[in-house]
Structures are given as C-alpha cells and as structure tokens.
Amino acid sequence: MSVRVRRIYDPPESDDGLRVLVDRLWPRGLAKDAARIDEWPKGLTPSSELRTWYHGGGSYEEFRSRYEAELDAPQAAELLDGLRKSAREGRVTLLTASKKPEQSHATVLAGLLED
C-alpha cells in the first residue's frame, strides 16, 4: 500500500498514481486542467465548522480526533473504503492546498488509509 501527501501546487509527478484532491474548496489560483486530479471526494473533507475551528487556533491532536469522528459517518466511511481499495491497488497521492500538509487532514487520511 502506497499513500503519500503532497501540496496541490507542486507539479504532478509521473509516479503520483491516483491523484486525489482532499480539500473541500478548490485551491486558489490553480487552473483545473493544471491540477491533473483524478478524484475529488468532498465527502472525505473536514466539515466547514471543524476546519474553521482548527484554523482559529484549535490543537492538531483535537482536530485529528474530531476529524476521525466525522469520518465515521456512513458516506465518509464508504468513500474512505473506496480510497483504501485504490491504495491497495497502487499509489495514491492525496493533494491539499495546506501550507503545512504534515499537520493537515490529508495526513490524518493518509494514516487511516495505511491502517
């Protein structure tokens, strides 16, 4: 299983495999054709309320816990299972506009996909 997290603003690489945008909002200043995404499962993204809370000064540990709870919802769980299946079949690159991908929901997703 091969999952990695990259910034959407980085140029696509030949070994990215399935490119999945995991942000709810389209990244600013990026043309859709330049992004070369394969999937955009908005149901896997943090809720607007959680995202606002986190960017308002919430801790990453609490964010992770709340986000994992959101991913237990039926629609999100189904999407997560589908992405997990894709990761078993080849590389999946999770794309985010976050300036700190290592402290973002994309990293939480990557960890859940590798479990």
Side-chain angles (χ1 to χ4, degrees), residues 73-94:
Q75 179 192 12
E78 185 177 328
L79 289 168
L80 190 59
D81 286 343
L83 209 49
R84 203 175 270 125
K85 180 180 177 192
S86 296
R88 282 189 215 110
E89 296 170 356
R91 170 158 285 165
V92 171
T93 299
L94 303 178

Side-chain angles (χ1 to χ4, degrees), residues 20-86:
V20 182
L21 178 61
V22 293
D23 291 348
R24 184 171 299 268
L25 304 174
W26 187 261
R28 291 182 185 178
L30 184 66
K32 290 192 178 184
D33 59 335
R36 291 191 28 217
I37 64 166
D38 298 305
E39 294 182 15
W40 188 12
K42 294 179 187 178
L44 280 179
T45 64
S47 66
S48 296
E49 296 81 13
L50 181 56
R51 194 177 69 249
T52 300
W53 172 84
Y54 181 49
H55 292 296
S59 73
Y60 180 69
E61 292 76 22
E62 181 67 20
F63 168 77
R64 173 187 285 270
S65 175
R66 291 182 184 191
Y67 180 44
E68 287 176 352
E70 287 186 355
L71 292 172
D72 285 338
Q75 179 192 12
E78 185 177 328
L79 289 168
L80 190 59
D81 286 343
L83 209 49
R84 203 175 270 125
K85 180 180 177 192
S86 296

